[in-house]
Amino acid sequence: MQLLLAEDEPKTVSYLTKGLRENGHAVDAVGNGADALALALSETFDAIILDVMLPGLDGWEVLKRLRAAGRATPVLFLTARDHVEDRVRGLDLGANDYLIKPFAFAELLARLRNLSRLPKTPPSGSLLAVGDLEIDTLRHRVRRAGQELKLTSKEYALLLLLARNRGRVLSRTLIAEAIWGLFHDQQSNAVDALVRRLRAKLDTPFATALLQTMRGTGYVLDA
Ligand code: CA
């Protein structure tokens, strides 16, 4: 993959660049947000690994401007933050996935493989649609078949994560990390419980199910 790495910690940059190149990826590394944005707009990348805390423009701002310019390049956020609100903000802005620092290098490679399978569909402003489901990421409003769904912040975060990755199976580990930050074994149950609560609002009242369980693998949202 042709990758853009935006990260300002020199040690992390050299470690990641070396590892990614050893795994056959081409890497352009930049150390601040302005360079990241300029390069992301002028070149074509298969994915961008974007640190949230960057000097100059931070990762949020880079992502926001990139999406505003109509670029759908998959973005993997690197973040030390572990609040669900921060992750929702990133997903609202158009991030495709998250990795919480510190992470295992193998996990980064796995996430990149998943990102490379995403359809290269252009973003459609603040409105995300999956079948008759509409998510207004600006107002945090969710409608299905014209009917408004009242979701909690965690249910909304889960739905947004699935919608940003529609058609792609998300593992319980990925979901747990994206919603709660760090993964613990007991959170596997928490993921299932959260999925059940979301499903009760999202699918149960309607004729067709959008949220599917892939036995032993995870969950997928698709029409
Ligand atoms: Ca940083």
Side-chain angles (χ1 to χ4, degrees):
M1 292 172 81
Q2 190 77 41
L3 300 171
L4 173 60
L5 170 66
E7 164 67 79
D8 60 320
E9 289 146 7
K11 270 188 182 169
T12 311
V13 172
S14 68
Y15 161 74
L16 289 181
T17 305
K18 186 168 175 281
L20 289 167
R21 284 180 182 151
E22 279 170 4
N23 280 274
H25 297 292
V27 185
D28 282 326
V30 293
N32 66 70
D35 287 350
L37 182 65
L39 211 53
L41 290 174
S42 62
E43 309 280 333
T44 304
F45 294 98
D46 297 308
I48 301 171
I49 304 167
L50 184 60
D51 186 32
V52 171
M53 301 310 280
L54 286 172
L57 298 178
D58 63 15
W60 310 116
E61 199 56 37
V62 172
L63 177 62
K64 198 167 140 188
R65 294 190 193 184
L66 187 70
R67 294 294 186 247
R71 295 305 187 95
T73 315
V75 168
L76 174 69
F77 250 143
L78 300 183
T79 173
R81 298 175 179 225
D82 61 352
H83 297 297
V84 65
E85 292 77 15
D86 286 326
R87 281 187 292 284
V88 166
R89 185 176 168 203
L91 292 166
D92 276 340
L93 290 173
N96 302 91
D97 201 357
Y98 270 92
L99 260 186
I100 312 289
K101 290 176 173 180
F103 52 84
F105 188 74
E107 186 61 26
L108 174 65
L109 291 178
R111 299 297 180 83
L112 288 173
R113 272 196 299 278
N114 271 329
L115 281 186
S116 69
R117 295 191 201 110
L118 278 183
K120 301 279 185 289
T121 44
S124 55
S126 62
L127 214 58
L128 267 177
V130 179
D132 60 357
L133 172 75
E134 279 186 0
I135 306 171
D136 182 339
T137 59
L138 215 58
R139 294 170 191 81
H140 286 202
R141 284 174 63 167
V142 179
R143 289 167 164 270
R144 184 157 183 204
Q147 197 175 317
E148 184 153 2
L149 310 183
K150 293 275 180 219
L151 302 182
T152 64
S153 63
K154 284 200 170 59
E155 291 161 2
Y156 178 76
L158 173 62
L159 181 61
L160 203 51
L161 181 72
L162 288 161
R164 287 278 183 223
N165 295 281
R166 66 173 294 181
R168 171 185 156 202
V169 180
L170 300 184
S171 70
R172 284 179 176 78
T173 309
L174 191 155
I175 292 172
E177 283 188 359
I179 307 291
W180 286 278
L182 293 171
F183 181 72
H184 302 293
D185 279 344
Q186 62 267 29
Q187 278 177 347
S188 176
N189 287 333
V191 170
D192 294 340
L194 181 61
V195 166
R196 268 199 303 279
R197 291 199 299 275
L198 176 61
R199 190 173 261 152
K201 296 176 182 178
L202 176 75
D203 281 339
T204 308
F206 302 94
T208 56
L210 297 173
L211 211 175
Q212 309 290 343
T213 304
M214 309 303 277
R215 206 159 283 283
T217 326
Y219 297 99
V220 62
L221 187 80
D222 213 345

